[in-house]
Amino acid sequence: MGFMIGYPIIFALLGRYFLPWLSKRNGFDFTPFNDLILVIIVLLVPIAYGALIGFSILEDRDDNVITNIRVTPLSLNHFLGFRLAAIYVLCVLATVFVMWFSDIGDLDIKNIIAISLLASLEAPISGLFINALAKNKIEGFAVMKAGGGIIIFPIVGLFFNNIKELFFSFAPGFWTAKSISSLIRGDGLYLSYNQYYFIGLAYMIILNIFAYKVFINKTRSE
């Protein structure tokens, strides 16, 4: 929980103070790259929170908490649902703070909240897939490191503004990245902000449901 509090503060401070200082010192204007900078900062938040909830659940599995839950009045769905909902809410709050405090791109608060709601859906996806692919914390660490590389695809996708960008659309963060870019850059992208946002919202919800079912099926077979 301490890490959850400190992590977004560090990134918010980097965006608010370090980048302007770096720009002033080197005489380099970062403004044309505002969408790229904000995307990197924003996408790192749900990845970190996803790793934390993923390892928390892995620890419960190592301690046989998941197995013991099955013989209690509390259902496994309720137990996991509460954990995943809690991490989602915390991730939303952290992302809102990072975007608001870093003050990159001059976004309205309503857009900041909307982007945070979308981006934070990646946290439970990451946590569930870590547990679906790993049996213990050692394997989970390997999966986390390999899965963290997926952030490259949304970033590369920012450099395409035509149909070729859809090649990177399998990555959950792609839709968040393009939504941010469309808000900052305005017109000139392949799709509109609403299209990026609501297609991404539907895609992320489907991925969450799929990841949850894969994880539940794995726990039943253990």
Side-chain angles (χ1 to χ4, degrees):
M1 291 300 294
F3 181 80
M4 287 181 179
I5 294 172
Y7 189 86
I9 292 176
I10 292 173
F11 276 91
L13 290 173
L14 287 175
R16 184 66 174 265
Y17 298 111
F18 179 72
L19 285 177
W21 172 81
L22 193 64
S23 178
K24 184 177 180 180
R25 179 176 180 179
N26 297 304
F28 183 80
D29 185 12
F30 284 97
T31 303
F33 306 98
N34 275 346
D35 59 335
L36 176 62
I37 295 170
L38 188 58
V39 163
I40 294 173
I41 293 176
V42 168
L43 292 186
L44 285 172
V45 177
I47 289 176
Y49 276 65
L52 288 170
I53 188 62
F55 278 94
S56 177
I57 296 175
L58 274 174
E59 187 170 6
D60 289 340
R61 291 169 63 191
D62 286 346
D63 295 338
N64 295 317
V65 173
I66 300 295
T67 302
N68 294 334
I69 284 292
R70 296 184 184 279
V71 296
T72 67
L74 179 66
S75 71
L76 181 59
N77 288 333
H78 289 158
F79 175 75
L80 290 175
F82 174 79
R83 300 285 294 278
L84 295 173
I87 203 68
Y88 175 72
V89 171
L90 289 172
C91 190
V92 169
L93 294 176
T95 308
V96 167
F97 173 75
V98 168
M99 295 183 69
W100 168 75
F101 190 82
S102 62
D103 195 28
I104 299 174
D106 193 27
L107 300 179
D108 294 335
I109 188 63
K110 64 177 183 180
N111 290 326
I112 290 176
I113 294 174
I115 292 296
S116 299
L117 291 172
L118 176 64
S120 299
L121 286 171
E122 190 173 353
I125 294 173
S126 299
L128 288 169
F129 272 125
I130 288 174
N131 279 271
L133 299 174
K135 296 180 180 179
N136 51 57
K137 288 191 283 287
I138 296 176
E139 292 183 5
F141 184 74
V143 172
M144 180 196 69
K145 290 193 68 176
I150 201 171
I151 193 177
I152 297 298
F153 294 99
I155 294 172
V156 174
L158 290 176
F159 295 94
F160 295 86
N161 295 326
N162 51 44
I163 196 171
K164 293 179 181 178
E165 71 180 26
L166 298 181
F167 175 78
F168 307 96
S169 63
F170 69 92
F174 169 85
W175 302 100
T176 299
K178 281 295 183 176
S179 296
I180 292 173
S181 185
S182 64
L183 286 173
I184 294 177
R185 292 182 178 270
D187 297 331
L189 302 184
Y190 184 62
L191 300 176
S192 67
Y193 166 75
N194 285 336
Q195 288 173 318
Y196 284 124
Y197 188 89
F198 288 107
I199 292 175
L201 184 63
Y203 180 60
M204 300 274 268
I205 291 174
I206 291 172
L207 276 183
N208 268 286
I209 295 172
F210 175 73
Y212 185 79
K213 288 185 176 182
V214 170
F215 172 64
I216 290 296
N217 288 335
K218 181 172 182 178
T219 59
R220 289 173 179 170
S221 62
E222 290 180 344

